Amino acid sequence: MQNYKLSLERDFIIASSGGHSVRSLAKQNLDLLYHSWLTKDPFVVYDLKNIHYCLSISLSNRDGSERIRKRIKSLSIAVSTDLFNWHKVVVSADANLASYNAGVCSSFRYLRVQLTGTQVLHFRSIDLFCTRLSAPPVTNLPVSCSRYGYFNNGIYWVTHDAGFFSICSTVLLELVRFPCPPKYINASHSFLHFKDDKSSNIWPLLFSDPIPVNLEPSFDFLSSKNSNKILHPSDYARIPFSVLNPYLNAYFCPSKDVKSTRSIIQKKYDICLDKTIVIVYRGTDKYIESPVADSRLILDRAKAILKLNPGFRVLVQTDQAQIRSFFCGALGNAAFYLDEMPVTEGEAVIHKTLDRNRLNFSQTLLSVVLIASDCRHVLLTSSNVSNWVVFFRGSDQGIELF
């Protein structure tokens, strides 16, 4: 065996809670490997580029007063081979808190340093003392788990179960940040309100076989700030379409059945996408999560577009019967809705009221969202359905959020 030392550098960082730049630290005469802002549970993640068998880790604290050195007192170090399964290592500090050391004796590629509570995380250096084994450890495609699902042997198993497009958002997030794009997606444990056979894998009936070509994981989405750009986007202009579009094209192309359903609907209602304004208004219980959009503002905007484009029509897509009546009544012959999409007068979400034909509803819902994504003008209220209208559109052009 041959031992060696690996000293981490700034360009090894793939995710963090933010912090001072090299230039900023230089101006303060601070020779530090990392310095966060004052934030809750500050962290930094390093990619070692390859799997290393590490014997021990040594972290050198920032020089300074005892008060400054004590900032690092809640330090924890964790290691991982896949960014999902993290294993904490036992860390011990010397008497002056000048350095922290950890015995590891395991193989890993990623290293995370973190503090607990609202703190400032800073340190001078991290050295890894490694050894080259006589034979490299045998590694299979990693099994990795998160709150939304797990990867195993080239398959992503979805376990998150909620609304249709909430599930889709978590799948997209996991795909974007996982180092090894899966060959298949299995939703046997999910979409329980959207299929008639609770144990069936509905995914192939919704989306075509994946084409994971030239996909590069984005470790930026390990942070909650960036992951919210997928799970809870509040500004569609800030969605990183250049990162997401390859994954959307690879994993979220509609199945043959969904394409057929879409074609039937477009033909039935004679929908000319280039001359259609779509209103996507999420009602029922959505007021619990976000403020209710002013339907009058949306109506005024639709009327303004119609005034400039007399031949246009307005597709009203909502789950709330009262909202549908409001828009259709105010817009008259210019408005239409799809009989295939159910509505309710109460607060119960539609998918929890279905007792049969759930798969048909799921495929129709996906078809309608795809139609909406291609309409000339798109007027949205905040919801996961709206988010996926934007995701399928591939840009924020022609999108207005109310």
Side-chain angles (χ1 to χ4, degrees):
M1 294 188 296
Q2 181 182 357
N3 296 338
Y4 61 97
K5 182 175 80 170
L6 177 63
S7 298
L8 300 191
E9 300 176 7
R10 275 184 162 266
D11 60 4
F12 286 25
I13 295 176
I14 57 170
S16 73
S17 49
H20 293 273
S21 65
V22 175
R23 181 178 297 181
S24 172
L25 293 174
K27 284 183 178 180
Q28 302 175 62
N29 294 318
L30 295 175
D31 182 19
L32 299 177
L33 180 62
Y34 179 72
H35 194 308
S36 76
W37 307 115
L38 178 64
T39 187
K40 180 174 173 54
D41 302 331
F43 75 95
V44 58
V45 177
Y46 294 90
D47 180 1
L48 311 184
K49 313 302 181 184
N50 293 293
I51 290 180
H52 296 261
Y53 187 84
C54 181
L55 301 173
S56 64
I57 300 171
S58 178
L59 181 147
S60 297
N61 196 0
R62 173 183 171 179
D63 294 331
S65 65
E66 183 180 0
R67 179 183 63 83
I68 289 177
R69 284 184 280 114
K70 278 187 174 181
R71 290 175 177 172
I72 206 170
K73 202 167 185 180
S74 64
L75 177 80
S76 68
I77 295 177
V79 298
S80 172
T81 58
D82 57 21
L83 286 172
F84 288 89
N85 286 316
W86 289 95
H87 304 284
K88 285 189 176 183
V89 298
V90 179
V91 180
S92 59
D94 65 14
N96 298 319
L97 300 179
S99 67
Y100 282 74
N101 296 282
V104 185
C105 294
S106 68
S107 298
F108 60 89
R109 173 171 174 172
Y110 305 99
L111 183 144
R112 183 183 69 209
V113 182
Q114 189 165 19
L115 298 183
T116 302
T118 302
Q119 305 279 357
V120 176
L121 172 62
H122 48 51
F123 45 85
R124 286 192 298 117
S125 65
I126 298 179
D127 294 319
L128 277 60
F129 297 91
C130 307
T131 187
R132 290 185 176 88
L133 302 176
S134 55
V138 177
T139 58
N140 297 316
L141 190 65
V143 177
S144 62
C145 304
S146 77
R147 59 186 291 193
Y148 304 122
Y150 61 94
F151 294 83
N152 189 18
N153 292 326
I155 301 174
Y156 177 64
W157 295 79
V158 189
T159 57
H160 178 63
D161 192 52
F164 187 97
F165 287 107
S166 171
I167 298 169
C168 290
S169 294
T170 62
V171 172
L172 177 59
L173 174 64
E174 298 291 75
L175 293 173
V176 168
R177 63 187 186 179
F178 187 64
C180 306
K183 296 178 180 178
Y184 305 102
I185 295 176
N186 191 302
S188 300
H189 309 309
S190 186
F191 291 98
L192 298 183
H193 293 288
F194 299 92
K195 54 189 179 183
D196 302 297
D197 179 357
K198 297 289 188 181
S199 62
S200 64
N201 177 21
I202 194 178
W203 194 269
L205 303 176
L206 301 171
F207 303 104
S208 57
D209 290 340
I211 314 172
V213 179
N214 299 324
L215 296 178
E216 292 292 334
S218 178
F219 300 121
D220 290 341
F221 289 97
L222 291 172
S223 72
S224 59
K225 177 181 178 181
N226 286 323
S227 65
N228 279 336
K229 293 178 182 177
I230 295 178
L231 299 181
H232 310 290
S234 57
D235 181 358
Y236 290 137
R238 300 187 67 182
I239 293 176
F241 290 104
S242 61
V243 175
L244 301 187
N245 285 346
Y247 287 86
L248 291 165
N249 294 332
Y251 290 97
F252 293 92
C253 288
S255 67
K256 289 182 180 180
D257 288 345
V258 171
K259 288 180 180 178
S260 175
T261 301
R262 172 179 177 166
S263 178
I264 291 170
I265 291 174
Q266 283 188 229
K267 185 176 181 179
K268 175 182 176 180
Y269 295 92
D270 192 23
I271 301 174
C272 177
L273 297 171
D274 201 44
K275 293 184 178 181
T276 301
I277 306 160
V278 64
I279 296 173
V280 180
Y281 193 107
R282 172 73 156 83
T284 60
D285 65 343
K286 196 62 183 176
Y287 72 92
I288 299 172
E289 300 176 13
S290 58
V292 177
D294 190 336
S295 55
R296 291 168 299 180
L297 293 177
I298 302 173
L299 176 63
D300 290 344
R301 179 57 181 147
K303 285 183 174 179
I305 299 173
L306 286 172
K307 187 175 182 180
L308 295 173
N309 304 276
F312 280 28
R313 294 195 300 159
V314 181
L315 168 57
V316 179
Q317 175 50 46
T318 179
D319 53 359
Q320 198 76 51
Q322 299 93 319
I323 292 294
R324 189 171 76 178
S325 297
F326 168 77
F327 283 119
C328 290
L331 294 168
N333 292 334
F336 69 104
Y337 61 86
L338 309 180
D339 291 326
E340 290 80 358
M341 295 302 295
V343 292
T344 178
E345 294 184 353
E347 295 182 3
V349 291
I350 294 293
H351 63 262
K352 291 186 178 180
T353 65
L354 301 175
D355 56 1
R356 56 192 173 88
N357 297 326
R358 293 188 181 95
L359 175 59
N360 179 66
F361 169 76
S362 303
Q363 293 175 325
T364 303
L365 173 62
L366 181 54
S367 302
V368 171
V369 169
L370 288 164
I371 290 171
S373 72
D374 286 334
C375 289
R376 181 70 172 272
H377 295 276
V378 183
L379 312 182
L380 304 173
T381 64
S382 177
S383 71
N384 285 304
V385 172
S386 295
N387 296 343
W388 276 85
V389 170
V390 179
F391 288 151
F392 283 133
R393 194 177 186 84
S395 78
D396 66 326
Q397 296 300 307
I399 298 288
E400 297 180 56
L401 179 63
F402 292 84

